[in-house]
Amino acid sequence: MEILSPEKIVDGFKVALGDGFIDSKIYQKEVAVKKNIFTSIWIHVKREAFRKAVEHICELQEYPHLAIISPSDRGDDVELIYHFTIYYGHHLQELSLGLRVDVPKSDLKIPTITDIIPGALFTERETQEMMGVEVVGIPDNRRLFLPDDFPEGIYPWRKDETGPEDMLRVLPGRQQKWQQVKE
Amino acid sequence: MAASKGIERYTIPVGPIHPALKEPIRLDLGIDGEEIVDVDVIVGQVHRGIEWLGMNRNNPVQNIYIAERVCGICNICHPFAYIMAVEQAAGITPPERAEYIRTIIAEMERIHSHLLWAGVAAHEIGFDTVFYLVWRVREEIMDLIEYVTGNRVTKAMFQIGGVRRDITEEQFPRIRKSLDYYKSILNQLKTVFLDDRMIQMRTRNVGVLKAEDALKFLAVGPTARASGVTKDVRQDQAYGAYADMDIRAITPDVLTGTIIGDVYDRIIVRLLEVKQSIEIIEQCLDKMPSGTILVEPKIAKLLAMLKKAEGEGVGRAEAPRGEVIHYVRLEAERETLAAWKIRAPTYTNLMSIPTILKGGQIADVPIAFGSIDPCMSCTNRAIVVDRKTNKKSMLTYEELHELSIEKTRRLKAEFDR
Amino acid sequence: MSLNSFKRALWLYHINAGSCNGCDIEILATLTPRYDVERFGIVLVGSPRHADVLAVTGPVPRQMVSRLKRVYEQIPDPKVVLQVGSCGMEGGVFHESYNLVGPVDQIIPVDVYVPGCPPRPEAIIEGVVKAWVKLEKAAEQRIT
């Protein structure tokens, strides 16, 4: 396996994805006394090119590590970032690779990647229940963390009307603070 | 437990109340006689909605303390990853001295956590003497943590842009004294755990996870390293004072020459990592740079700075159980975090559990499950199901623990003969 | 039954109701050689049916409510509930959440509170001693 520089990795994505590639960002910072470099790469892709991008990451390293999917509510869209790490096992060579894909709220669907990375199952289940993004083709459709009697249509991480505001329980002797923050 | 008649299979639910693990999780084990054929992990019993709190109630500084309480055992690596993410998002570079202090505290935590695990693992196979021995030994590091940070468990050392407390020259001798104590007893611990025939019989070839499965199911930390995957954030990525050192991931072959990926290998990795942590702390003490420990000591100013900041960051740290990752996004004019996602190591290690338990015996469940050092508060009990009748029989932890102890006794009797 | 009915060892059952582990490991630390409450016969038992004292940690998430109630009901009388940690008392850092049903005393009756996040082993021992006194009083009342 050849270790590519961050720029080359970005170029590789551009070639592999073509139109599906939107944007990229390379973040580097020096750490501690010896000023070794910490690197993270952010790659923004279209939903159509998303699976291809994951397959491309698998070409960079046979078993890329998928740390987590971090979904966030950005108004009209839900932004999903797949946090990969590649080149682990090599001293200070590892890269954090954030694969960003936007899903419009009118069509909250994303294809599963469990056929490529079997370990992605937990985080896909979590994304479904917490953000309400349907993962198409997911082999296990159950909830992960939320209880079975948790109401349908409420997604704790949303910031719109489907958020968990109605379910909030302010413990006795405490002030409700989140509304103040909101105002 | 119902005895299997003919070809019947049962499902035995274990948990969610599970005293030795101290945390609720449920495993549904499909069994055929004594053999486990199917495993389902059910989590979520301790879901507290921490990320929601960080995004809606707390400001970034308050979040450090919430991050500490994601898990009471690894309450350093969560804030560590969290502050790194915030620093990256806000463009803050912590002073060098702070990086070294952070590393020292993180390694102290690793020593305490690995010893804690070693004790619990001994308890799972019925060796309570060893459990008490290890926990007595562990009190030394707890004292040291209290000496350095002011508290035994939650350390509250971290601040965005540095650390809250300095480690001064006068404190070094006391720290070295504790480290010397651990160096002197390490060989004894190794003999207790690795040379004991009973421990070998209970852990060798039990709960095997092959390197390929570890990679597929995204295993992290000692679970992955015991399977021969050289993956350690401290080695792979530049963060903290680790970036200045030559740290190599520890795999069990350094001691035995082979990698099996069983429970025994996981014991080896953790014991060797205690030694590694001692060495890292010593190196940090030797090379500690001078200077300030905090970029902005005034919290009001720091908060104003963070309120203006716009950006995102990802922080990754090696917890005693594996990689912790925090993702943070800051938006200008927003007092709370715009996005916060936490991934604890047990989250991904749980996916390897079916592979680890399948083909094993029910009596091996406590030790095999315990061998990944599951931390449910970070992530969340076990069920066993008989397939033939689809009857669910509850196996309390006590019965399960009894089974495990019985197996040790049986093996011992065989061995003595 | 006489007052002497409680002249025996105190057995403790511990349930984690969504705690972060901080209190849990301190409870375990009180049992191990440094603090060693086992010398007074205080042991952690694996089944609520054997216990005199129920130690509860954590702010009680939704999934744990029925389990907490069930464990409480399984403990034979006289019993005492020892609630360990700030978050079970009033939410602590977790107050205000969509998945919490606590505090503990709104789900089951609590006799002794041990505040702290996490409390030190010494504090937990003091809590256990108070629980013991209360159990003896409960045993006394039963005879009169």
Side-chain angles (χ1 to χ4, degrees):
Chain A
M1 184 183 69
E2 189 196 352
I3 294 183
L4 302 168
S5 68
E7 290 79 13
K8 279 215 173 112
I9 292 174
V10 171
D11 289 342
F13 271 100
K14 278 183 190 157
V15 173
L17 302 178
D19 282 349
F21 183 91
I22 302 174
D23 195 10
S24 73
K25 192 168 75 185
I26 298 171
Y27 172 90
Q28 286 185 311
K29 91 173 170 190
E30 292 171 335
V31 180
V33 180
K34 286 188 185 164
K35 308 290 172 208
N36 283 310
I37 305 289
F38 166 91
T39 313
S40 64
I41 306 175
W42 304 84
I43 288 173
H44 194 169
V45 298
K46 286 185 187 153
R47 183 164 53 168
E48 297 72 44
F50 163 68
R51 279 206 37 122
K52 211 169 170 191
V54 177
E55 279 159 13
H56 182 72
I57 295 172
C58 293
E59 279 166 29
L60 294 170
Q61 183 163 25
E62 195 185 356
Y63 293 106
H65 181 77
L66 171 66
I68 194 74
I69 305 170
S70 72
S72 51
D73 188 341
R74 312 213 58 171
D76 295 333
D77 295 324
V78 168
E79 175 196 73
L80 300 175
I81 304 177
Y82 286 65
H83 296 276
F84 288 94
T85 55
I86 51 171
Y87 303 150
Y88 52 81
H90 303 274
H91 192 233
L92 302 184
Q93 298 284 325
E94 192 181 43
L95 297 173
S96 291
L97 202 161
L99 187 66
R100 191 191 308 269
V101 52
D102 290 330
V103 187
K105 277 196 181 161
S106 53
D107 181 33
L108 280 174
K109 280 184 183 137
I110 190 88
T112 177
I113 55 164
T114 45
D115 50 330
I116 310 170
I117 302 166
L121 183 62
F122 267 24
T123 179
E124 284 188 351
R125 279 169 67 187
E126 192 188 14
T127 308
Q128 282 205 130
E129 62 175 7
M130 295 292 188
M131 210 57 178
V133 176
E134 189 190 333
V135 180
V136 180
I138 189 167
D140 185 349
N141 214 2
R142 293 173 303 164
R143 281 181 170 166
L144 184 66
F145 290 115
L146 295 181
D148 292 334
D149 57 357
F150 198 86
E152 294 274 336
I154 288 193
Y155 305 108
W157 291 347
R158 289 270 198 97
K159 295 194 175 93
D160 54 17
E161 66 288 347
T162 56
E165 270 82 23
D166 297 340
M167 301 193 59
L168 280 183
R169 180 180 158 77
V170 182
L171 299 181
R174 292 283 191 170
Q175 280 180 332
Q176 191 159 14
K177 202 187 159 204
W178 64 271
Q179 261 179 340
Q180 298 162 11
V181 172
K182 245 184 174 178
E183 277 154 17
Chain B
M1 178 195 27
S4 63
K5 286 178 199 148
I7 48 163
E8 284 183 14
R9 266 163 68 181
Y10 287 87
T11 297
I12 304 182
V14 182
I17 314 295
H18 200 295
L21 292 166
K22 304 283 157 287
E23 283 171 287
I25 182 173
R26 205 176 99 179
L27 303 177
D28 280 14
L29 305 178
I31 52 160
D32 191 353
E34 276 282 307
E35 194 191 331
I36 297 157
V37 288
D38 190 26
V39 183
D40 188 14
V41 183
I42 295 153
V43 294
Q45 288 86 344
V46 294
H47 178 74
R48 287 157 293 179
I50 286 178
E51 286 142 328
W52 185 91
L53 289 170
M55 288 189 273
N56 295 280
R57 190 189 78 191
N58 290 359
N59 67 40
V61 174
Q62 290 172 322
N63 270 341
I64 300 172
Y65 306 99
I66 269 257
E68 271 186 344
R69 283 151 182 89
V70 168
C71 175
I73 302 175
C74 19
N75 54 35
I76 275 301
C77 47
H78 279 288
F80 203 158
Y82 168 73
I83 51 162
M84 281 195 296
V86 175
E87 281 166 1
Q88 197 179 320
I92 300 170
T93 309
E96 288 156 8
R97 191 179 174 86
E99 297 270 32
Y100 275 72
I101 294 172
R102 286 177 185 178
T103 306
I104 292 174
I105 306 293
E107 289 311 310
M108 284 180 184
E109 177 184 85
R110 193 176 320 275
I111 297 174
H112 119 74
S113 178
H114 281 352
L115 290 175
L116 180 145
W117 175 83
V120 173
H123 172 72
E124 301 287 9
I125 52 175
F127 271 84
D128 274 5
T129 342
V130 178
F131 165 56
Y132 288 120
L133 171 86
V134 175
W135 275 64
R136 196 197 66 206
V137 166
R138 178 177 165 268
E139 286 294 332
E140 176 71 28
I141 192 80
M142 298 309 280
D143 285 349
L144 182 63
I145 290 171
E146 192 179 353
Y147 174 72
V148 174
T149 71
N151 202 352
R152 277 166 59 90
V153 180
T154 33
K155 293 145 191 111
M157 279 290 271
F158 287 33
Q159 176 63 282
I160 294 161
V163 287
R164 291 176 60 230
R165 257 189 214 104
D166 199 1
I167 299 180
T168 56
E169 289 282 340
E170 295 87 66
Q171 289 179 306
F172 287 9
R174 170 71 182 83
I175 298 173
R176 285 187 203 277
K177 199 185 118 214
S178 286
L179 297 179
D180 289 343
Y181 167 73
Y182 279 111
K183 277 197 278 191
S184 69
I185 59 146
L186 214 63
N187 277 331
Q188 196 191 342
L189 276 181
K190 257 192 201 159
T191 317
V192 167
F193 275 97
L194 301 178
D195 297 346
D196 187 285
R197 281 300 295 262
M198 289 319 298
I199 292 184
Q200 275 180 18
M201 287 161 95
R202 283 304 311 271
T203 56
R204 257 298 177 216
N205 299 312
V206 169
V208 177
L209 182 70
K210 291 203 170 63
E212 204 199 333
D213 291 328
L215 285 165
K216 257 193 217 156
F217 293 110
L218 314 174
V220 290
T223 314
R225 292 197 281 278
S227 301
V229 179
T230 52
K231 193 173 184 316
D232 188 326
V233 187
R234 299 175 293 169
Q235 161 198 281
D236 299 340
Q237 223 168 44
Y239 85 99
Y242 303 114
D244 292 349
M245 294 174 217
D246 189 28
I247 293 167
R248 299 289 159 178
I250 289 178
T251 47
D253 52 332
V254 276
L255 198 71
T256 57
T258 53
I259 294 171
I260 302 177
D262 54 7
V263 177
Y264 190 76
D265 277 358
R266 285 172 211 136
I267 301 177
I268 298 177
V269 169
R270 291 200 173 91
L271 283 179
L272 293 180
E273 280 184 13
V274 172
K275 187 165 166 264
Q276 189 186 29
S277 296
I278 297 170
E279 287 162 6
I280 294 173
I281 299 177
E282 284 181 331
Q283 280 185 50
C284 285
L285 293 178
D286 291 341
K287 294 181 193 153
M288 180 103 90
S290 54
T292 54
I293 54 163
L294 206 52
V295 170
E296 179 53 73
K298 289 201 177 72
I299 290 181
K301 267 191 185 172
L302 179 70
L303 281 173
M305 203 157 100
L306 290 169
K307 203 174 168 181
K308 269 183 256 158
E310 177 110 39
E312 59 187 346
V314 51
R316 295 171 60 232
E318 183 75 14
R321 291 158 181 76
E323 173 204 73
V324 163
I325 171 167
H326 280 230
Y327 166 78
V328 165
R329 198 178 69 240
L330 296 172
E331 273 169 17
E333 297 311 309
R334 198 188 154 98
E335 213 180 304
T336 61
L337 302 175
W340 189 19
K341 180 80 197 92
I342 307 170
R343 206 290 321 270
T346 308
Y347 188 101
T348 50
N349 279 345
L350 275 180
M351 276 179 291
S352 310
I353 278 295
T355 319
I356 289 176
L357 294 184
K358 259 181 221 171
Q361 292 184 341
I362 304 171
D364 290 330
V365 168
I367 183 66
F369 182 64
S371 71
I372 68 158
D373 200 357
C375 183
M376 301 328 299
S377 64
C378 288
T379 320
N380 243 319
R381 174 181 162 185
I383 288 194
V384 191
V385 186
D386 205 299
R387 276 306 135 87
K388 286 151 201 176
T389 53
N390 215 14
K391 202 196 285 170
K392 289 205 175 186
S393 41
M394 267 282 203
L395 200 63
T396 64
Y397 169 73
E398 208 180 28
E399 289 162 340
L400 202 64
H401 186 65
E402 221 26 73
L403 271 174
S404 179
I405 294 174
E406 240 169 59
K407 185 170 175 185
T408 303
R409 286 202 193 110
R410 202 169 60 232
L411 283 171
K412 187 167 185 307
E414 276 165 25
F415 178 64
D416 290 343
R417 227 183 285 141
Chain C
M1 254 204 260
S2 71
L3 167 65
N4 300 343
S5 68
F6 213 77
K7 275 193 174 166
R8 55 188 166 108
L10 191 74
W11 284 8
L12 205 79
Y13 182 78
H14 165 232
I15 177 171
N16 171 329
S19 139
C20 77
N21 263 353
C23 302
D24 312 68
I25 55 167
E26 289 296 70
I27 290 179
L28 216 51
T30 52
L31 294 163
T32 49
R34 163 69 66 83
Y35 296 97
D36 197 16
V37 292
E38 284 210 6
R39 72 196 136 143
F40 306 120
I42 301 172
V43 275
L44 212 55
V45 290
S47 166
R49 290 180 220 282
H50 300 161
D52 307 302
V53 174
L54 174 67
V56 192
T57 54
V60 200
R62 218 169 276 277
Q63 290 94 321
M64 291 305 290
V65 179
S66 61
R67 281 154 191 157
L68 180 60
K69 279 188 189 149
R70 237 159 64 199
V71 167
Y72 175 75
E73 281 156 8
Q74 280 176 18
I75 297 179
D77 281 324
K79 60 190 165 196
V80 161
V81 178
L82 177 72
Q83 193 272 314
V84 179
S86 293
C87 58
M89 284 170 68
E90 42 93 58
V93 291
F94 305 119
H95 74 96
E96 230 183 317
S97 168
Y98 55 86
N99 208 38
L100 298 188
V101 194
V104 176
D105 56 9
Q106 299 210 340
I107 298 157
I108 54 169
V110 176
D111 300 282
V112 181
Y113 298 89
V114 183
C117 189
R120 290 186 57 92
E122 289 92 335
I124 298 173
I125 295 173
E126 204 196 339
V128 173
V129 172
K130 289 207 164 121
W132 206 328
V133 172
K134 201 155 181 186
L135 263 179
E136 289 197 337
K137 275 192 190 138
E140 204 174 340
Q141 275 165 2
R142 272 162 63 107
I143 45 163
T144 50

